[in-house]
Structures are given as C-alpha cells and as structure tokens.
Amino acid sequence: LKPAVHALFKKLKDEELELLVQVVESRGAWESGCVLAPRGDPRGVKQGLPPQVLLCRLFRWPDLHQSHELKHLCYCAGGQGACGDLAGLCCNPHHFSRLAVPGIPGAPRPSICPHTPSVPTPLGPSSCLPRSHPAGASSALPLPDTSLSWSTITDGCWCKLAYWEYRTRVGRLYAVHEASVNVFCELPRGSGFCLAQLPAAYRSCAVRRARGKIGRGLQLSQEPGGVWAYNRSEHPIFVSSPTLSPPGLPVLKVLPGYSAKVFDYERAGGTGGWQLPGEGPCDPHSIRISFAKGWGPCYSRQFITSCPCWLEVLLNQPH
C-alpha cells in the first residue's frame, strides 16, 4: 500500500494531514472532523481503492477489501449524506466502522463493567415482564424514579439507558435526547453516559474485572430506520434485540471496531411477544447489551442477568 498511500498523502492539505496524525495517534478516542481527499483522479491508488478504504486498511483493518464493508459513523458528514456536497471525500479512518453480519455464529466470551447498586431491584431486567403483564407495562420497581413504565420513557427522548450488574440496576435511568450517545467507563474527551460516575457501594471481583474491559465502550445512534451500536472498546459486546435476524440467533456478537443495526423500527411491529429461549416475554422495544461477556446456550451464563455488566436500552416507540 505504500505507493498508493504516498500518492494520497500528496493530495491532502497540510491541515488534513495534521488532523489525520491526531486521529491516528489517539485511535479515535475523540470525535474529530472529516479528512477530505480530492474526488476522482484514481491515479496512483492501488487497484482503484477509494481513499477511505485505503486509510482504513492501513491504520485499522489490514484485511479490508471494499467500501461496502464499511459504515459511516453518525458524526461523519458522509454518514448524513452531506459528503456529496463537500469538495472531497472523507477518508478519516475513525469515521468508519466495519459492518457486523448477523448470522455468522460466534460466541466468545465478553465481560463488562461494574457499578455498585444504589437501589436494589427485582429479580430480572425491567424489559422482561412477568407473563401476566402486557409488553410495555410497568415492571413495578420500588421507587418512582426507577419505574420503567412508558410514561417515564416518552418525555421527549428517543431512548433511556439502564445500567445493570447481574440482577441489580445501578443508578438512575439516563435519558438520550441527542442523535447519538457514547457509553463508556472513564471520562474521555467528549460526553455521554459515564459509568464511572454511577454510585458504587460495593463491587465484586468479577464486576471489577469486567469493568476493566469496557474502556471506550460503545456508541448508540438513532439513524433512519433504526438504532445502531458501534463497539468502541477493545473487547466484544453481545446484543439481543427482537429485530435481529435471523430470528433464531439469540445473541449477536459485535467485535471491536464493528457496527451492527441492533433495532429496526419497521420490523418491530411484528415482534409480538418476543422472548429468548428459557426467558420470559420481553418488551418488544428494548435492546440488551453485555460488555465482554456473552450469554445463552453456548455459555455457562444462560441469562443476561448472569453477566457482570450490561446495558438495557429502552426505546421510545415512534409515533
């Protein structure tokens, strides 16, 4: 790739090169601007590789081949359709993720982050309702600010986040009003749902170990048609959602640097009484994500409540 990269670098302005250096050295720890490469003129580009494929292959994924394997992240101008109006094409390697493909089996172990509970909660996650309750009903948590009824969800935000350690919810619900939110363990450059700021009266060794693997965590974004999760950490995340396909795949493993569409609004209407094998009916507008620890038939952990650290995403039903 050396001749092709040199040819591309010669076309970039000094400020673009300076930005690229900062982005690569920080490994995308903060949201940066677009690095614009001139359009057209494929001379010197190895086998006609687009600039974004060239730099993503050089700095992130040596096995990358084509642009359709990539997805723009939500804060890239190209991801919002504005790239076509710009003077060049964005080739910032940290403005892209790779696409996770549901249906490819893979269930290594994930482990996630811990936070100490401030309020004890019932036996299971809020979105897994007792069989006598219709989906969307309140799970009757003890305190008003922790009630997960739809009246608390539909207050102008598109989702609320609940952080769990095993069967205990930690802290209050985190409302998301922006188009995207970062969920991470320690404060980076930027903002979002920082798990380190949640109360921590007690943490088991397993939770502390899992917490050490969260790192930069993940980014959730609401985009046309659905919700995407981008794994920003250095360990896998594991996702269950009523709209993931194929339906028989209970949990999707998303590797570091990959993105997956974890909820599809069009498909959500037909999910009905969604439930995973061995678990009760679950809210059809919820997503559950475990950091670094998987669960299900292939694991010693049969249920997500056996995972040390996990996230529940309670979606506002679109009107």
Side-chain angles (χ1 to χ4, degrees):
L1 297 179
K2 190 173 180 179
V5 170
H6 282 176
L8 175 59
F9 286 168
K10 289 178 181 178
K11 300 174 186 177
L12 298 180
K13 298 178 181 178
D14 288 347
E15 55 267 28
E16 308 286 345
L17 289 170
E18 290 175 5
L19 176 59
L20 182 60
V21 169
Q22 295 173 15
V23 167
V24 171
E25 288 182 344
S26 70
R27 294 187 300 158
W30 45 278
E31 292 183 10
S32 54
C34 291
V35 176
L36 297 178
R39 293 178 177 276
D41 189 17
R43 291 176 297 174
V45 179
K46 180 181 179 182
Q47 299 174 349
L49 288 178
Q52 70 272 26
V53 174
L54 191 62
L55 294 191
C56 285
R57 190 168 170 180
L58 176 65
F59 293 117
R60 300 194 66 186
W61 305 292
D63 62 339
L64 181 69
H65 296 292
Q66 299 181 28
S67 58
H68 66 74
E69 301 174 50
L70 296 173
K71 178 190 179 296
H72 279 282
L73 296 178
C74 59
Y75 49 81
C76 177
Q80 301 172 9
C83 205
D85 301 327
L86 301 177
L89 291 169
C90 179
C91 58
N92 184 333
H94 287 279
H95 273 200
F96 295 87
S97 64
R98 293 190 76 170
L99 280 169
V101 181
I104 296 181
R109 313 225 166 154
S111 26
I112 161 172
C113 136
H115 272 110
T116 311
S118 56
V119 179
T121 53
L123 292 180
S126 54
S127 61
C128 290
L129 307 172
R131 292 184 182 274
S132 58
H133 290 195
S138 169
S139 55
L141 295 179
L143 298 181
D145 65 297
T146 58
S147 172
L148 302 191
S149 66
W150 276 112
S151 62
T152 66
I153 304 301
T154 57
D155 64 352
C157 60
W158 64 269
C159 78
K160 288 192 175 183
L161 307 178
Y163 171 69
W164 296 76
E165 292 170 0
Y166 293 115
R167 288 173 174 259
T168 301
R169 214 187 83 216
V170 180
R172 297 188 177 192
L173 293 175
Y174 183 92
V176 180
H177 297 270
E178 302 295 329
S180 66
V181 60
N182 292 323
V183 182
F184 49 90
C185 196
E186 302 294 340
L187 281 174
R189 297 185 189 178
S191 61
F193 187 21
C194 179
L195 302 179
Q197 295 182 324
L198 298 179
Y202 169 77
R203 288 184 183 131
S204 68
C205 292
V207 169
R208 289 198 295 269
R209 284 194 301 268
R211 180 185 186 83
K213 297 181 179 180
I214 295 180
R216 294 173 187 158
L218 60 92
Q219 181 182 83
L220 290 168
S221 58
Q222 186 185 43
E223 303 182 29
V227 177
W228 287 79
Y230 168 47
N231 185 358
R232 303 176 72 234
S233 75
E234 296 182 357
H235 296 270
I237 60 173
F238 295 79
V239 184
S240 69
S241 162
T243 68
L244 283 175
S245 60
L249 182 69
V251 178
L252 174 67
K253 177 185 177 183
V254 182
L255 295 173
Y258 279 68
S259 285
K261 188 176 184 180
V262 295
F263 195 86
D264 188 318
Y265 288 114
E266 291 186 0
R267 297 186 59 199
T271 55
W274 172 59
Q275 65 182 82
L276 292 175
E279 299 190 31
C282 295
D283 190 324
H285 288 84
S286 68
I287 306 163
R288 290 175 291 171
I289 304 172
S290 174
F291 295 90
K293 297 294 181 185
W295 78 96
C298 300
Y299 295 88
S300 58
R301 297 169 294 276
Q302 293 297 299
F303 312 111
I304 195 168
T305 49
S306 301
C307 295
C309 309
W310 57 281
L311 190 71
E312 186 175 24
V313 184
L314 298 152
L315 298 170
N316 185 1
Q317 300 182 47
H319 300 292

